[in-house]
Amino acid sequence: MEDINKYTPMMQQYIRLKEDYADAIVFFRLGDFYEMFFDDALVASKVLEIALTSRDAGNKVPMCGVPYHAAKVYIQKLVSKGFKIAIAEQITEPGKGLVEREVIKVITPGMIIDDGILPSNEFNFIGAITLAEYGYILSYADISTGDTFLLDGLTKQGLLDEIKNLTIKEIILKNKADEKLISYLKDLNIVISIYQDDEIYHQAILKNLDSKTTKQAASLLVNYLFNESKQELRHLLPFEFREVKTYMHLDSHVLEHLELTESLTGQVKSTLVYWVDKTKTAMGSRLLRYYLTHPLKDKQLLEKRYDYVDAFSDYDPRTELENALDNIYDINRIVGRIASNNTNARDLVQLKLTLAKIPRLKEVLAMYQNPLIDELNERILTHENLYHLLDEAIVNEPPLLIKEGGMIKEGYNQELDELKNIATHGEAWLEEFLEKEREKTGIKNLKVGYNRVFGYFIEVSKGNMNLIKDEFGYIRKQTLSTGERYITEELKRQEDKLIHAKDKSMALEYEIFQEVKAETQKYTESLLHLSQLIAQIDTYLSMAIVASEYNYVRPKLNTNKIVEIELGRHPVVEQHVEFIANNITMKPGEIFILTGPNMSGKSTFMRMFALIVVMAQTGMFVPANRANVPIYDGIFTRIGSSDDISGGKSTFMVEMVEANEALTKATKDSLILFDEIGRGTATYDGMALAQGMIEYIHHEIGAQMMFSTHYHELTRLADQLPNVTNLHVKAKEEKDKMVFMHQVEQGASDKSYGIQVAALAHLPEKIIQRSKQILKKLEQTSKAKTVDLFSIEETEKLDTVIPHDVQTLLDELDSVNIDQLTPLDALIKLKYLQNLLKKK
Ligand code: ADP
């Protein structure tokens, strides 16, 4: 350990403080700046692109700094890059000796409450992972909105998918025992913190969790948040318990491929959410996104959501309702800031303006005269008392700062009004006083002055000193070469009022602000409930608007695995082009092999199906004339071939990894969509793999599937496998040119059309002609010695392979870091591994 005595006392203070925050960048308050020293300065100056200087603190120390008033943007930049920030403030007044400093706040990517840093329509989650005997538990919270959730019984892959789908920014672990997990999280740029305390202290927040294990899992997160953020997080709502089994399995690849909320190419207009989010409020928008990325499996819940969409579809009150929701601020985040004391008077005004809208909102909801909506309406409280308090106390346009006055309305507090009166009328009083004294003494050039040592004084020149009489009550304070200075009791009394009125009024305003805030804090839970209700209304209203604007229909859900979609459309593509609608009729366990030239619309057809399914299971109406769909337990996709190059993996490897997801996890209740599997390798390889997969899904899984391919040969599988049906996208050749009809029909397409598509892309005519010659030749020769893939019988004994679940077990074992594992955790892990085997 380096000898810290060689540094100045302030630097020693810094070094000691830094010891407790080794993993954070410490913002050390020095007057009007936050300074960073040593390694923190080296790192931060680079990331923030600010000058690296040095400070002589006994020894030369690297330093960089940012102005206090502009710190927010710098903090935001560091946090968004995954750094933790510890804010060390001066907690004693500067003056004598060393100012004391203390870390008053820690900011990490998952612990942001401040306004202006977070995008309003996205959650900002922090999570904690614990392993229980029967699987992983993920508890997660957004401390800016107060929402908290707990998912129980996750497999490891399910856990990782969930973390990715929720874009969780920070994860708490109890130890570093699982090396693979940690490296996966690091790859996702997630900040990892190790924390042990999972004692159950905060019963109220855990009241919806019934087992000790889940309570402890949530406590790990809550304790971390309470202790480490150093914020008062009294706005955290009780954990919402979510069972994995109520949700459809939608892994992160599927989310990406279907472009539900994020675009593969960065174009927002290619995402579904861009077109279907017609919400008016931030909380509505967040909820809609949550719904979209968490489709349900529960028929009853879904029917209820459809009922709401139906209810809100009523045209007349709809526009009124849209207006009523307009300008409702983000209640969650305002309440979050108020409850955690990160607030100013503007938040209170925004809250007031929002509350002002509630009576009208209730009125409009009543106009629907619908029992479902009435029931929601009954739960909406107007918070009148709070509204009046805020309205009477806070001015309409208060400043950002809370210690400099200007926040409280006149008439709210008498003492404050008097103080303000004195401050504004002080000048006039002095003028009057001067006149009075001149008259009394008869001294025309008598002056009233002010200095810091004596305060206000009366100054009389030498020649007039004899006019001062005892009865005037003048007290001599200072003798000058030119005259004398006096004070009087009256002047001193007024001085006290004058000088202190402003300070006092600012202090009193601050006190009143604190009182109003404390009163508002009492409504935290009730305001968050209000926010949830508004979010729901806004979301259902958005679904209803979208349904009528785009002509969607309420889907029927069936339990016998039948698909009947009449004139289905792709909800995003139809916004860009004149869309040719297609029917889909599918039996249980049916597999479609979809052929057609490139660019004919195969992939659009499959995505259309997947999106209709996701929308139906989100509770939305769907783009079709009629839709009767099963409830799937999961969708598995392998779609698109050019999209993974940036990820660094070869396309073929990615294809196989994703195909594997489906092959190992899909059940007979799943939907599998494979687009052009096997394309990334040699023809025979690719075809053989494709056939192997189709056979496996047909025999072993029994899931419904669409398989698009340009391997024409695969269409012959329909003759051999009873559940396989050929479909093709119609295209016709006109004068050697392809015309795409985008119409999907029964039967295999007659040929592959590759050359025709090349011609469409304007390849040189010479190449096209030459290719046609070559093709002809090839077709002639291959007729002579066809390799008939489909006559190959399965050989009796396949090579020995390690079954997937055993492999999972081996992987789990392999990633255990024994040194980091406590005996108790080891036992839980053992039990978990045993349970994995029992599931077989
Ligand atoms: P493939 O997968 O067969 O190569 P895509 O599905 O990518 O073809 O479709 C190519 C383009 O054709 C799409 O970008 C879209 O603009 C258009 N398209 C596809 N299906 C339809 C349809 N049903 N109606 C209108 N246009 C369509």
Side-chain angles (χ1 to χ4, degrees):
M1 174 87 201
E2 162 179 62
D3 175 21
I4 71 168
N5 290 323
K6 66 184 179 198
Y7 294 110
T8 56
M10 191 204 74
M11 194 49 64
Q12 292 180 23
Q13 180 192 45
Y14 171 85
I15 292 169
R16 267 185 230 110
L17 196 144
K18 172 77 190 169
E19 270 172 24
D20 289 337
Y21 296 92
D23 60 344
I25 292 187
V26 173
F27 273 45
F28 194 73
R29 183 72 183 268
L30 248 178
D32 286 338
F33 277 79
Y34 286 120
E35 304 288 6
M36 289 151 265
F37 302 110
F38 299 102
D39 286 350
D40 283 4
L42 300 178
V43 173
S45 62
K46 232 187 235 143
V47 177
L48 298 174
E49 296 172 17
I50 53 176
L52 179 69
T53 57
S54 64
R55 185 182 177 95
D56 190 4
N59 252 355
K60 261 203 176 332
V61 168
M63 173 176 96
C64 68
V66 299
Y68 157 76
H69 60 86
K72 206 156 156 178
V73 272
Y74 294 106
I75 293 172
Q76 177 182 1
K77 191 157 181 189
L78 285 169
V79 169
S80 69
K81 298 248 150 98
F83 291 99
K84 279 191 192 181
I85 314 284
I87 308 282
E89 286 292 351
Q90 304 177 167
I91 54 161
T92 52
E93 287 298 319
K96 311 161 226 96
L98 184 62
V99 179
E100 279 181 46
R101 291 183 178 81
E102 221 175 67
V103 170
I104 55 128
K105 199 195 273 191
V106 175
I107 306 168
T108 61
M111 285 209 260
I112 304 174
I113 298 184
D114 294 8
D115 189 18
I117 297 186
L118 300 169
S120 65
N121 53 7
E122 285 170 26
F123 279 113
N124 189 58
F125 286 127
I126 176 167
I129 299 173
T130 31
L131 177 63
E133 297 166 10
Y134 45 85
Y136 288 88
I137 303 175
L138 175 67
S139 52
Y140 56 102
D142 179 341
I143 66 168
S144 69
T145 65
D147 292 291
T148 56
F149 305 95
L150 184 133
L151 268 173
D152 193 8
L154 289 157
T155 61
K156 184 137 171 203
Q157 191 55 47
L159 170 78
L160 298 177
D161 279 331
E162 198 58 35
I163 289 172
K164 212 171 161 200
N165 290 355
L166 292 165
T167 55
I168 293 183
K169 305 281 168 34
E170 186 176 355
I171 289 281
I172 319 300
L173 296 171
K174 270 188 88 171
N175 53 46
K176 292 184 181 162
D178 193 333
E179 289 173 344
K180 273 202 183 142
L181 179 67
I182 289 180
S183 87
Y184 181 87
L185 296 176
K186 283 196 172 144
D187 283 349
L188 289 178
N189 209 7
I190 290 173
V191 175
I192 298 166
S193 302
I194 306 295
Y195 193 75
Q196 263 96 27
D197 184 4
D198 62 357
E199 286 289 316
I200 300 167
Y201 307 116
H202 305 278
Q203 283 291 357
I205 219 173
L206 309 170
K207 69 180 182 202
N208 300 336
L209 307 173
D210 46 16
S211 72
K212 185 167 176 229
T213 322
T214 50
K215 277 182 200 282
Q216 275 180 330
S219 290
L220 181 67
L221 177 64
V222 171
N223 296 345
Y224 176 85
L225 288 174
F226 282 15
N227 294 335
E228 296 298 298
S229 72
K230 299 194 172 266
Q231 309 264 345
E232 294 198 46
L233 304 173
R234 54 189 128 203
H235 61 294
L236 286 190
L237 287 163
F239 275 85
E240 238 181 81
F241 181 68
R242 307 220 151 166
E243 274 186 295
V244 177
K245 64 173 194 280
T246 51
Y247 296 101
M248 176 194 222
H249 176 95
L250 206 57
D251 65 49
S252 44
H253 303 303
V254 180
L255 267 186
E256 281 164 22
H257 288 156
L258 296 180
E259 302 191 290
L260 293 178
T261 54
E262 302 279 338
S263 145
L264 284 168
T265 53
Q267 288 164 315
V268 284
K269 287 190 176 180
S270 64
T271 64
L272 179 64
V273 75
Y274 175 85
W275 298 101
V276 300
D277 182 1
K278 304 272 179 193
T279 57
K280 296 279 169 192
T281 66
M283 46 267 187
S285 182
R286 286 193 297 265
L287 184 66
L288 181 72
R289 271 159 204 266
Y290 197 90
Y291 277 4
L292 264 180
T293 49
H294 292 82
L296 298 172
K297 283 192 307 199
D298 186 311
K299 187 165 189 293
Q300 249 179 328
L301 288 178
L302 287 170
E303 294 289 355
K304 178 117 196 220
R305 286 192 190 169
Y306 301 152
D307 288 343
Y308 276 119
V309 179
D310 258 336
F312 280 102
S313 296
D314 205 351
Y315 185 77
D316 270 342
R318 211 176 68 201
T319 6
E320 297 284 342
L321 184 55
E322 280 183 72
N323 290 337
L325 288 171
D326 245 348
N327 297 325
I328 285 190
Y329 288 95
D330 192 340
I331 302 179
N332 284 82
R333 290 203 168 139
I334 294 174
V335 170
R337 291 196 293 273
I338 294 173
S340 62
N341 296 327
N342 281 290
T343 189
N344 57 42
R346 290 195 185 168
D347 282 331
L348 297 180
V349 171
Q350 292 194 348
L351 184 60
K352 178 191 90 174
L353 294 175
T354 293
L355 292 178
K357 294 251 164 191
I358 308 300
R360 176 65 187 154
L361 176 67
K362 287 181 74 73
E363 235 173 74
V364 176
L365 289 172
M367 281 156 61
Y368 277 96
Q369 298 187 332
N370 178 301
L372 265 183
I373 296 179
D374 287 344
E375 191 264 330
L376 281 179
N377 199 2
E378 263 163 41
R379 284 155 49 205
I380 295 182
L381 306 179
T382 48
H383 294 82
E384 246 162 276
N385 291 344
L386 180 59
Y387 171 80
H388 288 304
L389 170 70
L390 297 174
D391 188 43
E392 280 155 26
I394 310 290
V395 298
N396 293 339
E397 288 179 19
L400 275 175
L401 299 171
I402 53 175
K403 289 200 169 159
E404 306 202 345
M407 302 178 288
I408 308 299
K409 264 190 192 165
E410 209 180 313
Y412 181 70
N413 180 296
Q414 199 183 345
E415 191 188 342
L416 180 66
D417 289 349
E418 275 167 21
L419 284 169
K420 283 189 175 167
N421 199 28
I422 293 169
T424 38
H425 297 110
E427 286 298 315
W429 185 91
L430 279 175
E431 290 285 319
E432 250 172 59
F433 177 75
L434 180 64
E435 280 311 307
K436 208 171 73 196
E437 295 307 304
R438 280 183 178 166
E439 215 165 284
K440 189 159 73 183
T441 56
I443 305 173
K444 288 261 156 13
N445 66 351
L446 180 142
K447 284 192 285 192
V448 173
Y450 176 82
N451 76 23
R452 289 180 60 142
V453 184
F454 301 117
Y456 285 100
F457 53 80
I458 296 165
E459 192 173 316
V460 179
S461 61
K462 239 183 189 154
N464 292 323
M465 270 156 50
N466 55 342
L467 293 172
I468 306 299
K469 297 185 186 141
D470 279 354
E471 69 245 41
F472 295 164
Y474 279 28
I475 305 159
R476 179 171 297 144
K477 262 293 178 200
Q478 195 183 12
T479 307
L480 310 169
S481 58
T482 53
E484 292 281 343
R485 284 177 176 173
Y486 305 90
I487 55 168
T488 68
E489 273 193 23
E490 191 190 5
L491 185 60
K492 276 297 122 183
R493 260 201 318 276
Q494 187 63 20
E495 170 187 298
D496 195 46
K497 277 193 186 168
L498 267 179
I499 299 184
H500 298 301
K502 200 155 174 70
D503 285 351
K504 274 192 190 156
S505 87
M506 289 197 298
L508 184 56
E509 283 216 28
Y510 179 71
E511 216 174 276
I512 297 170
F513 170 75
Q514 295 295 349
E515 280 166 23
V516 175
K517 185 181 74 181
E519 188 57 30
T520 310
Q521 283 172 345
K522 292 186 191 155
Y523 293 88
T524 299
E525 198 169 339
S526 149
L527 286 169
L528 289 177
H529 282 305
L530 174 68
S531 177
Q532 282 174 337
L533 286 166
I534 293 176
Q536 273 185 43
I537 291 167
D538 197 12
T539 299
Y540 294 132
L541 179 69
S542 165
M543 289 178 172
I545 293 172
V546 162
S548 83
E549 253 181 43
Y550 306 146
N551 285 319
Y552 293 170
V553 288
R554 175 174 178 149
K556 266 209 172 65
L557 300 171
N558 67 62
T559 46
N560 45 8
K561 306 271 147 41
I562 285 174
V563 180
E564 289 169 335
I565 296 173
E566 198 180 287
L567 296 176
R569 283 130 39 211
H570 188 298
V572 177
V573 177
E574 77 164 337
Q575 300 292 344
H576 298 284
V577 299
E578 182 93 23
F579 199 81
I580 313 291
N582 274 300
N583 297 335
I584 303 178
T585 314
M586 214 172 192
K587 296 192 288 276
E590 187 160 11
I591 294 176
F592 286 157
I593 293 181
L594 181 61
T595 44
N598 262 329
M599 291 300 288
S600 61
K602 300 186 294 296
S603 166
T604 307
F605 182 71
M606 295 210 290
R607 286 170 202 250
M608 165 187 100
F609 185 25
L611 286 171
I612 287 178
V613 167
V614 170
M615 289 167 83
Q617 289 188 234
T618 293
M620 296 177 73
F621 288 9
V622 298
N625 279 18
R626 193 172 68 82
N628 181 2
V629 282
I631 297 182
Y632 290 104
D633 66 357
I635 296 185
F636 298 89
T637 59
R638 170 55 222 164
I639 296 184
S641 44
S642 61
D643 40 357
D644 305 293
I645 298 154
S646 56
K649 288 187 201 162
S650 86
T651 309
F652 183 64
M653 186 61 192
V654 174
E655 263 185 67
M656 290 304 114
V657 168
E658 292 183 12
N660 188 46
E661 284 274 303
L663 297 168
T664 52
K665 289 199 206 114
T667 72
K668 63 176 186 2
D669 296 328
S670 309
L671 174 63
I672 303 177
L673 302 171
F674 278 179
D675 193 5
E676 303 276 8
I677 277 279
R679 194 185 170 123
T681 182
T683 309
Y684 283 146
D685 259 12
M687 246 192 304
L689 271 168
Q691 184 182 343
M693 288 181 194
I694 294 173
E695 284 177 358
Y696 182 81
I697 290 165
H698 187 276
H699 302 324
E700 311 276 332
I701 302 180
Q704 283 172 322
M705 160 149 105
M706 280 197 192
F707 193 103
S708 85
T709 182
H710 67 289
Y711 294 132
H712 215 253
E713 295 83 343
L714 289 176
T715 55
R716 290 172 57 185
L717 276 175
D719 304 333
Q720 294 164 21
L721 305 175
N723 283 341
V724 171
T725 307
N726 286 323
L727 294 185
H728 71 280
V729 192
K730 240 170 91 178
K732 57 182 182 185
E733 261 180 285
E734 270 177 12
K735 294 196 216 102
D736 249 14
K737 287 265 167 62
M738 287 299 305
V739 178
F740 298 136
M741 321 289 282
H742 303 308
Q743 199 105 55
V744 179
E745 296 190 343
Q746 289 266 343
S749 62
D750 43 1
K751 55 179 180 176
S752 190
Y753 298 108
I755 297 174
Q756 286 80 353
V757 174
L760 260 191
H762 302 295
L763 257 67
E765 189 55 32
K766 211 163 176 181
I767 298 180
I768 303 291
Q769 293 307 336
R770 174 65 184 147
S771 303
K772 282 186 177 165
Q773 279 173 3
I774 298 173
L775 180 66
K776 212 171 228 167
K777 193 91 183 163
L778 280 174
E779 281 173 351
Q780 280 163 7
T781 42
S782 75
K783 266 191 196 118
K785 38 177 181 153
T786 328
V787 183
D788 189 354
L789 279 172
F790 304 96
S791 58
I792 301 172
E793 286 296 310
E794 214 172 272
T795 40
E796 294 236 317
K797 260 181 80 191
L798 295 171
D799 297 342
T800 340
V801 284
I802 301 175
H804 179 73
D805 31 14
V806 175
Q807 189 59 51
T808 312
L809 206 65
L810 293 176
D811 286 348
E812 284 277 354
L813 274 178
D814 184 44
S815 68
V816 174
N817 180 345
I818 302 283
D819 296 339
Q820 296 280 345
L821 205 61
T822 65
L824 182 61
D825 288 339
L827 283 177
I828 293 174
K829 185 106 197 170
L830 192 60
K831 185 78 187 159
Y832 169 72
L833 294 176
Q834 223 176 33
N835 285 344
L836 274 185
L837 276 184
K838 279 192 193 140
K839 276 192 200 152
K840 271 186 79 175

